[in-house]
Amino acid sequence: MNTPATPAETFFKLVTDWPKTVLLLSLMCIVGLGSFMPQLHKDTSSGAFIADDDPVVVYRDHVRDMFGLEDPIVVAVINDGPQGVFNPDSLKLVDSLTREIGKLANVDPDGVTSLATESNIVGTYDGMDVTDFFEPFPSSQARADEIRAAIDAFPLYQGSLVARDGNATLVVVELLDQDIAQATYDEIMAVVAATAVPEGNQVHVAGEGAIAGYLATYIDRDAKRLNPLAAIIITLVLFVAFRTLVGSVLPNIIVIGTVTAAFGSMAAFGVSFYVITNGLATILIGIAVADSIHIMSQVYEEQAGDPTLSATRQGRSLIAQRALVKMWKPITLTTVTTVAGFAGLYLGAAMPPMKFFGLFAAIGVAAAWFYSILILPAALTLFPLKPSKLFQKGIVTDRYGAGLQRLGGAVLARPGLILAVAAVITMVGIAGTSRVIVQESQIESFQPVEPIYIADKEINRRMDGTYFLDIVIETDEPEALFRPDHLRRIEKLQRYVEEIPAVRGSTSVVDYIKQMHKAVNENQEAYYAIPDDETLIAQLFLLYSASGDPDDFEEEIDTDYSQANVRFNLHVADYQLLTEIVPQVQAYVDNEFNQEDIRAHMSGRVMVNYTWLKTIGDNHVRSLLLSLLFVWIAAAVVFRSMVAGVLSLIPVGMALLLVYAVMGFGGIWLGVGTSMFAAIAIGLGIDFAIHTLERMKELLGARSGSYDERLADLYPSTGRALFFNFAALGLGFVVLTTSEVPPLIKFGTLVAVAVSTAFLASMTILPAIGKLLRPAFLFPQGEIVTSDKRRITTATASVAVVLGVMSYLYVDTARADTALPTGNEIIAQLNARDDGQQVTRVLKMELIDRHGKARVRETLGYRRYYGDEKRTVLFYQSPSNVKGTGFLTYDYPQADTDDDQWLYLPALRKVRRISSSDRGDYFLGTDLTYEDIKKESRVAAEDYAFTTLGSTEVDGHLTYQVEGLPVDAETAQELGYSRVLWNIDPAIWMSRKTEMWDINGNPLKVVRSENIENIQNIWTALRLSAVNHKTGHSTVFTFSEVDYRTPVDDSMFEQRALRRGR
Amino acid sequence: MRIIAATNFFATALLSNLLVPAGNLAWAEGFMDDAELSGLFESELAWGRGDVQKAEFVLTPELGVALNDGLQLTIIARFRGDLTDELEPGVPEQRNRSESSRHLFIGDHVDVELREVFIDFEVGDTFLRLGKQQVVWGQADGLKVLDVLNPQSFREFILDDFDDSRIPLWTANAEIPVGDAMLQLLWIPDKTYDDIPQADALFAFTSPLVVPQAPPGLSLGMPITQSKLQRPNAFFRDSDVAASLSAFVGGWDLSLNYAYHYFDRPVIRREISSQGIAVHADYERTHLLGGTFSNVFDDFTLRGEVGYSSDRYFLTDAIGDSDGVVQSGEFSYVLGLDYQGWRDWFVSGQIFQSVMDDHERGVVRNRVDSTATLLLRGDFMNEAVQAEALLIHSLSQDDGVLQGSVSYEWRSNIRFKLGVDIFYGDAQGLFGQFQKSDRVSISAEVGF
């Protein structure tokens, strides 16, 4: 017993010799750091997630400076009555809300936009007049009707300020300071509550400004309620573990120390408290509790071994020394590995909040260790230590200890079974992981009953959308945006982006210009277009300023008319949707703009969200792997064995896998809040592994006998401590699942899953592996023989492989279903595509011979469905030589019924009935057959046998290749094809490119559908080109003025229409 | 004549002088939504036997004006100049035409005609077209059974398109939907009839089938007096009225037609007296009842037209006949079959028969007069080149005409054509009478 004191022994002796000093110093540290905490600044904006120098943020600030655009709060007045909001009561409500909200401190007085503030542009005899909509005030229904009429004539406001069906209108509120948006939201809610809302009207408050601000408070509110509850539960668990006051209270002091250390230093360094920082408190509590439980367990064990010791201070100090000398190593090991894990996070994360999370978690963990090894022994020395009844006989044999002993027995008896079960669970975990998707939609963080959730959904249902995508157009010269060609480019951009289903409307200076142009031309619709003359455009602005305020345009164009902002309204903006939209729009912008003199940049809330969520997705795996790597290195160093590193990763790995599995199967998105769970799982999980391995090593070295015999004490002692560790954390965070706040529920669930898995994995898998594979590091030197070593190496290698596979799968978290649909399925979808109940369109046919000479015919066509029967009529309008020619078809759905066709030739003045059975004949001199024209991008499913060949890219779009072989020789003869190959784009269910082979198998022609646009919700190919390889002749069909909405009269499809020419 | 011509000229000038500023004014006040001017310019050169038959330039402008309230005004005029003036030598009398339907002749070579002027509008479901227009009935090509509402100009016999040779009439045309069918009611107060070429015209009729011959033995020495052609002139009583009911039923295009009209070719009566032969021409009225049908069977199109005229007059040689004309009802029909089974080819055959109720000895034509036609048309180079051959053969007279043409669409609006027309058969026959008028023609057509 008189071996020279180890450094540890010396140290702890020192601590216990000077307990008061140590305690005082520690308390001073705690208080000192804690004093910084009130300075902690909350930053709940999502912009915090991107580095300040990230181009997207920089650009957005620039946009904000130039156009004064922020994330507004939106107040909607809704009235579903017959006049919608166009009645005096609703309009008065809009007016009073506008005025009251404008008075709020954080509201930009010029930044409230509503019907009460906006102006109408009306044409007068000598120009235009800009008058406010509410001038005179709408105190009568007649005035309200006038305002409705004015809005109907002013497309700019439809969908953005007033709902298209007239049942809702918005008051858009720009804030001065985005950081206190939460407070402003509350103020606005108070204003709404104080305003008398007339019957039949509803008021909703939403908008990005509201959501971002409210979210943080929403979470905080509940967290503040539940965290203390968790603390109480943890204390209760501690009491159950130790049944002593000291055992329950002391760990809490360590927790306080840990938390103040982390947050105090955070405040001291001026780092903000972000949304995700809520999770940091969790980890720190967990780790502080863990360290304490282990130490206190050991303390009570020591005390039980020598009960009389605790009577004296000396005795207590001895107990403390012994306990700590035994426990300091595992605690230090866990601290080191945990700190290593968080260091990895700090290095691997790209976003400041996550980096800081890692940094301050490491600081907190270190503080926990620091305080544990100082405060605990010091306090134990000073204060009376009642023995724990549970530990009276050494190892605890209460029901928990007994239960764990039984578990241990079972595990050690059938290690193979344990590993097999673990493998199965791993498979399940991998399956779940593959279903995880990176997705974020802030509004979904709220319960559906929250007013803000309801408001957001209602407003986005009725209006064009409260999520904004800004595209800033930049030119180099002042007044360059007076040029019609630039304006047309902008207009074309608007039309293009508006075709995206999620984009319901857009606002730009072009809309104002068109309105002004219409106004000065006596409000004729034909003039709702960009003028051709630059000087005219300049004059329009001048005219506007004569009666209106030129600042009205400041959100759309800058003061020297060289930069403009186009704002697009989206009614949903979840991340997955943005991953489709943003690249598509970016590609268009790169193609159409970004030349020398005109450029376009995407910006706006939507862009910012997209960028930082993209970073999360890309970064998540990287920081995770880095963490794991650091943990592995630390564990390997600590145990001086690579295998040890690998083994310590097993519980951690399992915890991660199951966390992802729960996310995958449970439909929990990998988004901002959930991206930290992995880090938390690592931090908490590593504890269980290290403690287990360390204890196993100690037992295997100190005891003798078989493996099972030596490990007999593992379960009741370390196992029990781990169990209470698990219980404290698990139950503590299960409390969170009782929250109303969805993010907190997810948080609680996932942490509970992580902790449970780590515990069970440590308790079962590690001993089982130890028994089966006998890694050398666990056993005393010499016990493991070379042959065993080889087996161990193989085992280690296979574990490494499994880990590698798991890592690979983390990278591949969102695997798409790559199986291709069958040919019949694809063709069925193609045929089911909506092509409109009726359509009116202008068709220009160009017949181009092999020398490039073109003959052009212009026609006007109509088509309408009568049930399944399709009637089409085509009138030739030019040139004069063919003018008046008409073609009428009744296309019957039954395959065996021939169509009825009539041709009117003006020279004969007669309608001829013509045979339609030759659908392979070329239509009126074009390279498209009657069948091609008739089918109009559909396919007669009964004519072919279909096979999916694969997928390929056409015009930059993914398409399925489907081959069709005519069902018999007769059909092939009729159609004129022996083989057809379609390239069908599943996004639009149209064939982008169709290739045909003639009946002899030679390539015959290629038909391409191009300029495919979404017009009135129907995908339309505006250009069809057919090239006949045999003759070298080609045909181009260009459709324009396509209108699916205007009803087409029945009489259009009668012979008399042919005779009359229309 | 000159006064009438002058009146016409002034009327045209006045109208055009009014229309143009009216148009401008109307435009300025938003009265007219849309006006469209288009037209065709054709030039044709035809060589007969060693001689230029015609060197013709024709300009056919068409103005379509969409007035507001759904009114559509259409005006089609034709300016024609023929350097050779063989077809209508000098300035014809135009007695067969009502004053409002006459050409305006400028010199011998140029004539101007207001072809069509009508207004389209709808009253409820009824469609109305009022004005000078062509109304075409029937399913036959080239032969007429029911297509008798508008008279025809035989200036070029049947060699030019009916669209050009048909004479538009002032008509009130109402189309009323009745259930799934269409009822058409016509009132034609315009008493204009066929343009028969003068005796010195290239295509003057000489066949005994149409031109009454002096009874043999009586011609020599007898003075022949011909009285002027008289048209019916009671405005209401002498108008033509017609009605048709058409429907698309069970895959069949059917129509039922009735007209009470003056037959467009005059009946030429001769009276032989001691003073000589007095010849006078009158227009006679008849009822016409008939129908058309058409359907498609696979690659074949079947079409047919039947008609019964109650009072037709046929020339007779019988000496005993007092006026050289026999009255009889006539039943005629056309049956046609089109075949489109071969890619890019169109084949059509028709049989036409006319049966007299009361055939007597001496009547110049057979009781049953039969004609057959065969049309062959091919499209090449994506319809840039079209070749056509039409054979009309009279089975009764054993004569006929063969028309062939090849046309090439050089540009979207420019088409060139090379044609040949060959008459064969006995000079007594309807076609054979023009034996010497075979010709080859080239033409160019430019649209604008």
Side-chain angles (χ1 to χ4, degrees):
Chain A
M1 274 303 175
N2 269 335
T3 49
T6 62
E9 286 167 351
T10 321
F11 175 78
F12 287 112
K13 188 162 185 329
L14 197 63
V15 169
T16 51
D17 281 347
W18 298 92
K20 283 196 193 124
T21 323
V22 169
L23 270 180
L24 202 60
L25 282 172
S26 308
L27 278 169
M28 274 168 60
C29 264
I30 292 176
V31 169
L33 283 170
S35 65
F36 284 104
M37 276 177 67
Q39 292 174 27
L40 201 56
H41 166 69
K42 247 191 159 76
D43 183 352
T44 53
S45 66
S46 31
F49 280 80
I50 314 182
D52 281 337
D53 57 358
D54 185 291
V56 173
V57 174
V58 170
Y59 195 75
R60 189 160 174 274
D61 288 341
H62 165 69
V63 169
R64 189 182 289 160
D65 290 336
M66 180 163 320
F67 295 105
L69 298 165
E70 288 277 359
D71 296 324
I73 292 182
V74 164
V75 180
V77 171
I78 295 176
N79 186 325
D80 282 320
Q83 288 112 357
V85 292
F86 293 105
N87 64 76
D89 285 339
S90 301
L91 296 176
K92 278 197 198 109
L93 178 62
V94 170
D95 185 65
S96 78
L97 283 172
T98 306
R99 276 184 290 110
E100 288 306 311
I101 292 174
K103 290 182 193 157
L104 295 175
N106 191 26
V107 172
D108 180 358
D110 292 328
V112 181
T113 308
S114 72
L115 276 176
T117 62
E118 292 306 277
S119 330
N120 193 15
I121 302 173
V122 172
T124 59
Y125 188 66
D126 55 358
M128 74 173 91
D129 204 16
V130 179
T131 42
D132 290 348
F133 282 110
F134 274 28
E135 207 181 304
F137 194 79
S139 23
S140 65
Q141 184 58 44
R143 266 298 291 146
D145 290 338
E146 278 172 27
I147 296 173
R148 175 197 282 274
I151 294 288
D152 281 346
F154 206 142
L156 181 71
Y157 289 128
Q158 293 164 14
S160 54
L161 193 65
V162 180
R164 290 178 194 272
D165 62 8
N167 287 356
T169 183
L170 297 183
V171 180
V172 181
V173 183
E174 302 274 2
L175 308 176
L176 290 167
D177 182 356
Q178 204 67 32
D179 289 338
I180 53 172
Q182 166 55 35
T184 315
Y185 172 76
D186 288 335
E187 286 171 23
I188 292 177
M189 291 300 271
V191 165
V192 171
T195 311
V197 176
E199 203 180 311
N201 292 292
Q202 301 164 50
V203 179
H204 289 288
V205 181
E208 277 283 359
I211 292 174
Y214 192 56
L215 187 61
T217 322
Y218 188 60
I219 294 175
D220 267 5
R221 208 178 55 191
D222 247 26
K224 280 206 187 91
R225 181 172 65 88
L226 292 172
N227 277 340
L229 194 60
I232 291 172
I233 290 180
I234 289 173
T235 311
L236 278 174
V237 170
L238 287 170
F239 186 76
V240 170
F242 300 122
R243 309 287 162 84
T244 66
L245 195 64
V246 168
S248 319
V249 168
L250 268 184
N252 278 308
I253 296 180
I254 306 296
V255 168
I256 292 171
T258 309
V259 169
T260 52
F263 293 117
S265 45
M266 197 184 273
F269 286 111
V271 174
S272 300
F273 188 98
Y274 303 101
V275 168
I276 55 170
T277 314
N278 271 309
L280 187 58
T282 316
I283 294 189
L284 295 176
I285 294 173
I287 289 170
V289 164
D291 285 350
S292 310
I293 288 180
H294 285 288
I295 293 177
M296 292 310 293
S297 287
Q298 194 61 34
V299 162
Y300 285 118
E301 270 185 41
E302 293 292 328
Q303 189 188 40
D306 200 346
T308 54
L309 270 180
S310 57
T312 62
R313 176 176 153 153
Q314 192 66 19
R316 286 200 296 273
S317 118
L318 207 58
I319 290 172
Q321 283 175 53
R322 283 190 202 154
L324 270 124
V325 162
K326 279 202 182 121
M327 289 314 293
W328 79 268
K329 204 157 169 219
I331 286 175
T332 312
L333 291 182
T334 57
T335 303
V336 164
T337 48
T338 309
V339 166
F342 285 118
L345 181 65
Y346 174 71
L347 290 174
M351 294 186 199
M354 293 177 177
K355 282 179 109 69
F356 290 127
F357 188 98
L359 178 64
F360 290 101
I363 290 178
V365 169
W369 172 80
F370 183 72
Y371 292 127
S372 297
I373 59 169
L374 288 180
I375 293 182
L376 282 179
L380 286 168
T381 313
L382 275 181
F383 299 110
L385 185 66
K386 274 218 296 234
S388 167
K389 293 200 192 90
L390 293 175
F391 286 80
Q392 266 165 3
K393 297 184 195 101
I395 302 296
V396 177
T397 48
D398 67 347
R399 67 172 79 98
Y400 303 106
L404 280 160
Q405 201 146 27
R406 275 199 298 277
L407 173 68
V411 167
L412 291 171
R414 287 186 186 73
L417 179 63
I418 296 293
L419 288 184
V421 169
V424 167
I425 293 176
T426 308
M427 291 294 125
V428 170
I430 290 173
T433 306
S434 65
R435 296 161 72 108
V436 173
I437 52 167
V438 178
Q439 171 68 301
E440 181 72 39
S441 175
Q442 276 194 318
I443 192 66
E444 297 300 328
S445 301
F446 296 94
Q447 287 277 0
V449 297
E450 283 287 325
I452 200 169
Y453 186 92
I454 296 172
D456 181 272
K457 295 293 174 194
E458 263 306 294
I459 295 175
N460 278 300
R461 183 170 71 86
R462 293 166 181 273
M463 311 293 299
D464 277 354
T466 58
Y467 299 96
F468 302 124
L469 171 67
D470 294 327
I471 300 186
V472 179
I473 315 291
E474 290 169 358
T475 61
D476 295 320
E477 290 171 22
E479 298 186 0
L481 286 175
F482 282 157
R483 281 172 48 181
D485 60 331
H486 282 149
L487 292 172
R488 280 192 226 287
R489 207 183 279 273
I490 294 174
E491 185 186 37
K492 201 158 155 255
L493 170 69
Q494 283 180 267
R495 294 291 86 81
Y496 177 79
V497 177
E498 274 174 4
E499 236 90 85
I500 298 170
V503 179
R504 289 222 201 115
S506 67
T507 310
S508 78
V509 70
V510 170
D511 298 313
Y512 275 107
I513 290 172
K514 294 204 289 199
Q515 188 72 18
M516 293 196 281
H517 191 218
K518 175 172 129 177
V520 298
N521 282 293
E522 287 134 33
N523 292 323
Q524 290 180 62
E525 268 310 305
Y527 285 93
Y528 188 75
I530 299 169
D532 288 322
D533 183 4
E534 197 172 322
T535 43
L536 174 58
I537 294 171
Q539 281 168 11
L540 287 173
F541 280 106
L542 202 61
L543 266 175
Y544 188 93
S545 60
S547 54
D549 183 358
D551 280 346
D552 286 348
F553 300 124
E554 69 177 356
E555 286 184 5
E556 283 80 29
I557 195 164
D558 69 343
T559 45
D560 58 358
Y561 303 104
S562 67
Q563 309 207 29
N565 184 45
V566 185
R567 173 159 274 199
F568 294 94
N569 299 64
L570 286 80
H571 68 286
V572 285
D574 59 272
Y575 175 69
Q576 282 290 321
L577 179 70
L578 295 182
T579 55
E580 289 166 22
I581 294 179
V582 171
Q584 182 187 349
V585 176
Q586 186 66 53
Y588 181 87
V589 159
D590 287 336
N591 249 342
E592 296 288 323
F593 291 81
N594 300 340
Q595 297 153 13
E596 321 77 47
D597 58 351
I598 183 163
R599 293 173 302 282
H601 254 113
M602 290 170 68
S603 181
R605 159 67 42 206
V606 159
M607 235 358 234
V608 170
N609 283 355
Y610 169 76
T611 308
W612 61 268
L613 279 164
K614 193 162 180 299
T615 318
I616 287 184
D618 293 343
N619 230 270
H620 181 80
V621 173
R622 190 172 69 131
S623 54
L624 199 61
L625 287 180
L626 209 55
S627 272
L628 286 173
L629 181 68
F630 274 53
V631 164
W632 178 76
I633 291 174
V637 163
V638 151
F639 285 106
R640 274 172 226 124
S641 159
M642 308 278 241
V643 176
V646 170
L647 288 184
S648 64
L649 284 180
I650 289 177
V652 172
M654 292 290 285
L656 281 173
L657 203 56
L658 285 193
V659 162
Y660 281 124
V662 168
M663 286 172 72
F665 286 121
I668 298 175
W669 298 331
L670 183 65
V672 175
T674 49
S675 60
M676 296 318 298
F677 291 157
I680 295 173
I682 294 175
L684 298 177
I686 196 66
D687 253 21
F688 294 92
I690 300 288
H691 275 289
T692 310
L693 286 174
E694 173 61 24
R695 200 73 208 282
M696 278 168 68
K697 183 171 174 188
E698 190 216 319
L699 288 172
L700 288 169
R703 311 281 172 89
S704 59
S706 73
Y707 181 88
D708 289 6
E709 284 164 1
R710 283 185 273 178
L711 284 188
D713 280 349
L714 175 67
Y715 287 88
S717 73
T718 308
R720 187 176 176 280
L722 286 176
F723 174 76
F724 280 103
N725 190 5
F726 151 68
L729 292 176
L731 286 174
F733 293 105
V734 154
V735 159
L736 286 180
T737 61
T738 63
S739 165
E740 283 173 356
V741 175
L744 285 179
I745 298 174
K746 291 174 199 161
F747 188 75
T749 312
L750 294 176
V751 169
V753 166
V755 159
S756 319
T757 316
F759 168 68
L760 284 172
S762 305
M763 286 284 95
T764 55
I765 299 177
L766 291 181
I769 287 181
K771 182 164 181 190
L772 283 182
L773 301 181
R774 296 181 186 265
F777 82 97
L778 280 176
F779 295 87
Q781 280 213 328
E783 191 170 333
I784 303 298
V785 204
T786 337
S787 61
D788 292 335
K789 277 198 179 129
R790 207 172 294 130
R791 207 160 28 107
I792 289 158
T793 334
T794 329
T796 314
S798 34
V799 170
V801 164
V802 169
L803 274 178
V805 168
M806 287 194 322
S807 319
Y808 169 74
L809 289 166
Y810 288 151
V811 174
D812 202 11
T813 41
R815 249 190 310 163
D817 188 4
T818 51
L820 293 172
T822 65
N824 286 335
E825 285 166 3
I826 297 173
I827 297 293
Q829 290 270 37
L830 181 103
N831 284 337
R833 181 179 65 86
D834 181 19
D835 59 352
Q837 179 61 22
Q838 67 256 327
V839 67
T840 306
R841 59 200 167 182
V842 170
L843 164 61
K844 180 168 94 162
M845 299 186 210
E846 283 167 281
L847 285 73
I848 305 161
D849 70 6
R850 62 164 74 242
H851 307 292
K853 192 183 74 169
R855 292 175 287 145
V856 179
R857 282 122 173 61
E858 277 182 26
T859 68
L860 183 58
Y862 302 87
R863 190 235 306 134
R864 188 171 143 182
Y865 280 98
Y866 288 84
D868 284 329
E869 181 186 316
K870 183 165 82 169
R871 295 189 184 176
T872 314
V873 70
L874 203 65
F875 298 104
Y876 279 71
Q877 315 230 288
S878 101
S880 308
N881 314 57
V882 296
K883 182 172 172 199
T885 308
F887 180 71
L888 172 67
T889 319
Y890 289 5
D891 183 2
Y892 303 113
Q894 303 91 347
D896 54 355
T897 313
D898 277 343
D899 303 337
D900 289 320
Q901 288 178 347
W902 294 262
L903 184 65
Y904 176 75
L905 296 170
L908 290 180
R909 301 257 174 159
K910 282 206 194 102
V911 175
R912 289 192 85 91
R913 186 79 179 276
I914 57 179
S915 157
S916 64
S917 56
D918 258 329
R919 35 206 192 115
D921 270 357
Y922 287 111
F923 177 76
L924 301 182
T926 65
D927 296 295
L928 292 158
T929 60
Y930 279 94
E931 180 76 0
D932 295 335
I933 300 287
K934 188 173 79 145
K935 280 294 165 197
E936 250 194 291
S937 83
R938 293 192 181 180
V939 174
E942 62 278 0
D943 283 338
Y944 303 92
F946 302 103
T947 321
T948 307
L949 296 185
S951 63
T952 178
E953 202 184 277
V954 172
D955 296 340
H957 298 264
L958 173 79
T959 59
Y960 294 135
Q961 273 200 328
V962 175
E963 177 194 65
L965 300 173
V967 288
D968 52 33
E970 194 190 312
T971 312
Q973 194 76 13
E974 247 178 58
L975 295 168
Y977 309 136
S978 64
R979 178 175 180 243
V980 183
L981 194 63
W982 293 274
N983 291 286
I984 297 168
D985 184 337
I988 54 177
W989 292 113
M990 211 191 275
S991 174
R992 287 191 179 262
K993 181 168 127 179
T994 313
E995 294 163 90
M996 289 93 153
W997 283 257
D998 68 11
I999 45 180
N1000 297 321
N1002 302 316
L1004 176 62
K1005 66 185 194 205
V1006 175
V1007 179
R1008 281 176 204 269
S1009 300
E1010 293 158 335
N1011 286 13
I1012 300 179
E1013 288 181 17
N1014 184 310
I1015 296 178
Q1016 294 160 7
N1017 259 331
I1018 293 170
W1019 288 105
T1020 313
L1022 291 180
R1023 192 186 136 101
L1024 220 62
S1025 71
V1027 177
N1028 186 320
H1029 292 307
K1030 282 163 83 171
T1031 61
H1033 194 274
S1034 63
T1035 304
V1036 175
F1037 275 23
T1038 309
F1039 295 94
S1040 58
E1041 294 176 50
V1042 180
D1043 179 2
Y1044 292 100
R1045 292 217 184 113
T1046 308
V1048 179
D1049 203 48
D1050 287 341
S1051 61
M1052 196 61 76
F1053 304 103
E1054 306 275 328
Q1055 293 177 44
R1056 54 194 141 125
L1058 290 181
R1059 266 189 231 110
R1060 295 175 206 163
R1062 65 189 167 279
Chain B
M1 189 77 68
R2 274 204 203 102
I3 296 170
I4 293 166
T7 317
N8 263 344
F9 176 80
F10 281 121
T12 316
L14 198 67
L15 213 58
S16 51
N17 278 332
L18 276 177
L19 275 176
V20 171
N24 282 336
L25 191 68
W27 184 279
E29 299 204 68
F31 182 65
M32 286 195 289
D33 294 335
D34 225 286
E36 218 175 277
L37 182 67
S38 60
L40 278 172
F41 178 73
E42 297 157 271
S43 66
E44 191 176 338
L45 193 61
W47 282 278
R49 300 251 181 111
D51 219 356
V52 174
Q53 271 194 18
K54 71 171 182 179
E56 195 176 68
F57 302 92
V58 182
L59 175 67
T60 317
E62 179 176 331
L63 179 68
V65 181
L67 304 165
N68 49 11
D69 294 341
L71 262 69
Q72 174 91 14
L73 171 68
T74 309
I75 302 177
I76 306 175
R78 180 169 67 194
F79 300 82
R80 180 166 55 193
D82 188 348
L83 295 176
T84 59
D85 201 28
E86 299 274 328
L87 298 169
E88 260 177 333
V91 177
E93 280 189 358
Q94 300 191 74
R95 293 189 69 87
N96 58 302
R97 291 188 178 228
S98 69
E99 274 109 23
S100 50
S101 287
R102 290 189 181 168
H103 301 230
L104 175 69
F105 279 88
I106 305 171
D108 286 347
H109 297 270
V110 178
D111 77 277
V112 180
E113 186 183 358
L114 189 63
R115 291 284 291 161
E116 293 180 68
V117 179
F118 55 83
I119 273 191
D120 290 336
F121 59 98
E122 293 204 20
V123 175
D125 281 335
T126 304
F127 172 79
L128 286 160
R129 180 175 279 188
L130 305 177
K132 199 162 192 289
Q133 60 188 275
Q134 297 186 23
V135 179
V136 180
W137 282 356
Q139 288 280 353
D141 284 339
L143 304 160
K144 297 181 170 195
V145 173
L146 294 178
D147 183 10
V148 292
L149 295 172
N150 286 76
Q152 188 179 350
S153 167
F154 286 99
R155 185 175 171 272
E156 245 177 292
F157 192 45
I158 55 159
L159 298 181
D160 57 356
D161 283 342
F162 281 154
D163 192 45
D164 294 331
S165 67
R166 208 179 280 113
I167 302 171
L169 297 178
W170 293 97
T171 310
N173 180 353
E175 287 182 23
I176 306 159
V178 173
D180 283 335
M182 176 72 69
L183 175 68
Q184 182 182 39
L185 299 174
L186 297 159
W187 174 56
I188 311 172
D190 190 348
K191 295 161 212 25
T192 296
Y193 306 103
D194 288 347
D195 275 353
I196 313 273
Q198 308 138 246
D200 54 349
L202 185 62
F203 287 101
F205 291 145
T206 53
S207 161
L209 287 171
V210 280
V211 175
Q213 312 291 312
L218 264 76
S219 56
L220 300 162
M222 283 268 199
I224 303 174
T225 49
Q226 193 159 3
S227 47
K228 298 272 188 205
L229 188 61
Q230 292 291 343
R231 284 179 305 110
N233 55 12
F235 185 74
F236 282 108
R237 259 189 315 117
D238 287 330
S239 323
D240 293 345
V241 291
S244 88
L245 187 68
S246 51
F248 175 60
V249 175
W252 288 89
D253 285 310
L254 300 169
S255 79
L256 193 62
N257 307 69
Y258 169 77
Y260 182 52
H261 73 121
Y262 278 95
F263 193 72
D264 291 323
R265 239 162 291 136
V267 177
I268 304 172
R269 293 186 173 82
R270 56 138 178 80
E271 270 171 29
I272 306 171
S273 66
S274 43
Q275 282 80 25
I277 307 176
V279 174
H280 63 98
D282 293 300
Y283 292 101
E284 296 291 347
R285 221 171 196 178
T286 174
H287 297 273
L288 172 65
L289 180 67
T292 68
F293 58 89
S294 168
N295 200 350
V296 164
F297 303 96
D298 276 339
D299 292 327
F300 290 93
T301 303
L302 176 70
R303 49 195 172 82
E305 199 176 316
V306 300
Y308 180 75
S309 285
S310 59
D311 298 292
R312 290 291 316 282
Y313 297 85
F314 300 95
L315 294 173
T316 176
D317 271 346
I319 303 171
D321 196 288
S322 54
D323 54 7
V325 156
V326 164
Q327 184 182 3
S328 163
E330 182 202 18
F331 171 76
S332 56
Y333 73 89
V334 169
L335 206 59
L337 197 65
D338 302 330
Y339 181 66
Q340 283 175 284
W342 300 318
R343 212 141 276 180
D344 298 329
W345 285 93
F346 177 75
V347 182
S348 169
Q350 291 175 123
I351 179 101
F352 167 75
Q353 284 201 313
S354 159
V355 182
M356 280 175 66
D357 276 353
D358 298 316
H359 189 263
E360 292 167 6
R361 248 168 42 109
V363 172
V364 175
R365 57 159 266 188
N366 298 350
R367 195 172 90 89
V368 177
D369 190 273
S370 313
T371 310
T373 74
L374 183 66
L375 171 69
L376 192 67
R377 181 165 60 224
D379 286 317
F380 311 98
M381 289 168 55
N382 291 83
E383 282 190 16
V385 174
Q386 277 187 332
E388 199 176 291
L390 171 65
L391 174 69
I392 306 177
H393 179 81
S394 167
L395 295 164
S396 308
Q397 307 293 323
D398 233 355
D399 65 344
V401 63
L402 175 65
Q403 294 182 281
S405 71
V406 172
S407 78
Y408 172 57
E409 193 177 307
W410 183 53
R411 290 274 181 270
S412 311
N413 61 335
I414 301 177
R415 194 171 262 270
F416 296 114
K417 188 158 130 172
L418 175 70
V420 65
D421 303 294
I422 300 169
F423 294 97
Y424 62 90
D426 195 90
Q428 309 287 319
L430 195 60
F431 301 101
Q433 67 183 313
F434 301 117
Q435 260 186 0
K436 300 217 167 50
S437 303
D438 297 341
R439 68 185 197 179
V440 169
S441 60
I442 57 167
S443 68
E445 180 188 275
V446 178
F448 60 89

